[in-house]
Amino acid sequence: NAGVTQTPKFQVLKTGQSMTLQCAQDMNHNSMYWYRQDPGMGLRLIYYSASEGTTDKGEVPNGYNVSRLNKREFSLRLESAAPSQTSVYFCASSPRQQNQPQHFGDGTRLSIL
Amino acid sequence: GQQVMQIPQYQHVQEGEDFTTYCNSSTTLSNIQWYKQRPGGHPVFLIQLVKSGEVKKQKRLTFQFGEAKKNSSLHITATQTTDVGTYFCAGRGTSYGKLTFGQGTILTVHP
């Protein structure tokens, strides 16, 4: 059982380039999330999808877009990357949004020069 | 918006010493979760607390939820080198609400 799979694991971009981070889960979970982790700031929610067909903004959505492609897949897109978006990005999923533990992928380490 | 503060940011202990991290919310929480992240790894769910005053134990780990449901703590008895990592609390304002993570406490255990 793979759980939550994120690709790529590492990426270096130049300012202004675009990129899509991919996330897929095989646990038949309804809810999926994208977080960014920066030193000393914990995990901050970028966007989430409570169920297939819905997406909502989190705490730090500016500069990002998401697509819930189907129940398994939830992608995060940076249209025009900025150095402030250098971070570790985690995708997570849970059976439902309500009172459920979240299962995290291994993360994508993204550097923007 | 909801804020969850966690202290201390760093803690260095000798193996065998106890460790505690504290979590405080600006608003009443519906529930609180705790996660552990090993160095270079991803957060892994440890436990969820829902009831006021709740105390749960997992071997050497003791988790508490405050009576007012605005604070929580994680206590590790007799730390081991395998306890190294960052411990995060994460709270929800309502049962359907989004999780808000604390900044985390980075635990270092010296053998």
Side-chain angles (χ1 to χ4, degrees):
Chain A
N1 230 356
V4 179
T5 303
Q6 290 184 239
T7 55
K9 295 191 184 305
F10 304 93
Q11 185 70 48
V12 179
L13 294 177
K14 294 181 179 178
T15 297
Q17 287 185 316
S18 62
M19 133 152 241
T20 299
L21 306 186
Q22 306 286 353
C23 175
Q25 52 90 11
D26 62 2
M27 295 175 283
N28 201 34
H29 286 173
N30 288 305
S31 302
M32 298 184 74
Y33 313 85
W34 275 105
Y35 292 91
R36 60 177 290 173
Q37 183 175 29
D38 302 293
M41 300 188 72
L43 292 125
R44 292 183 292 169
L45 184 65
I46 305 171
Y47 270 93
Y48 69 101
S49 172
S51 60
E52 186 179 357
T54 69
T55 60
D56 283 290
K57 295 178 180 179
E59 182 185 353
V60 288
N62 291 345
Y64 305 96
N65 285 300
V66 289
S67 294
R68 184 75 183 265
L69 304 169
N70 47 55
K71 190 172 185 177
R72 290 186 64 247
E73 298 173 288
F74 189 38
S75 62
L76 178 72
R77 182 159 178 85
L78 287 71
E79 288 292 351
S80 179
S84 60
Q85 294 177 305
T86 292
S87 188
V88 181
Y89 291 85
F90 286 101
C91 177
S93 70
S94 62
R96 300 183 307 277
Q97 188 180 349
Q98 180 185 17
N99 290 347
Q100 298 288 306
Q102 294 185 6
H103 302 258
F104 286 80
D106 288 337
T108 294
R109 283 152 180 78
L110 182 62
S111 293
I112 299 162
L113 308 177
Chain B
Q2 180 178 296
Q3 291 186 332
V4 176
M5 308 298 292
Q6 196 173 347
I7 57 170
Q9 187 174 359
Y10 301 95
Q11 186 75 58
H12 297 258
V13 299
Q14 290 293 131
E15 190 172 18
E17 292 182 337
D18 293 355
F19 158 76
T20 304
T21 174
Y22 300 91
C23 188
N24 291 285
S25 171
S26 57
T27 59
T28 302
L29 300 171
S30 170
N31 59 74
I32 195 159
Q33 297 179 352
W34 285 90
Y35 291 80
K36 176 183 178 181
Q37 183 178 25
R38 295 185 186 276
H42 59 270
V44 175
F45 174 79
L46 294 176
I47 207 159
Q48 177 170 272
L49 305 171
V50 179
K51 299 177 182 176
S52 170
E54 189 169 16
V55 178
K56 287 188 176 180
K57 293 190 176 184
Q58 289 181 349
K59 297 183 180 178
R60 296 179 293 106
L61 278 61
T62 302
F63 304 84
Q64 292 189 317
F65 200 9
E67 293 289 342
K69 300 184 76 174
K70 294 182 73 173
N71 61 290
S72 182
S73 64
L74 158 60
H75 179 82
I76 301 178
T77 303
T79 54
Q80 299 175 357
T81 54
T82 53
D83 295 325
V84 164
T86 303
Y87 292 85
F88 291 100
C89 62
R92 292 181 196 276
T94 66
S95 58
Y96 280 96
K98 294 167 282 191
L99 271 182
T100 300
F101 280 80
Q103 302 94 323
T105 296
I106 300 172
L107 173 64
T108 302
V109 180
H110 300 282

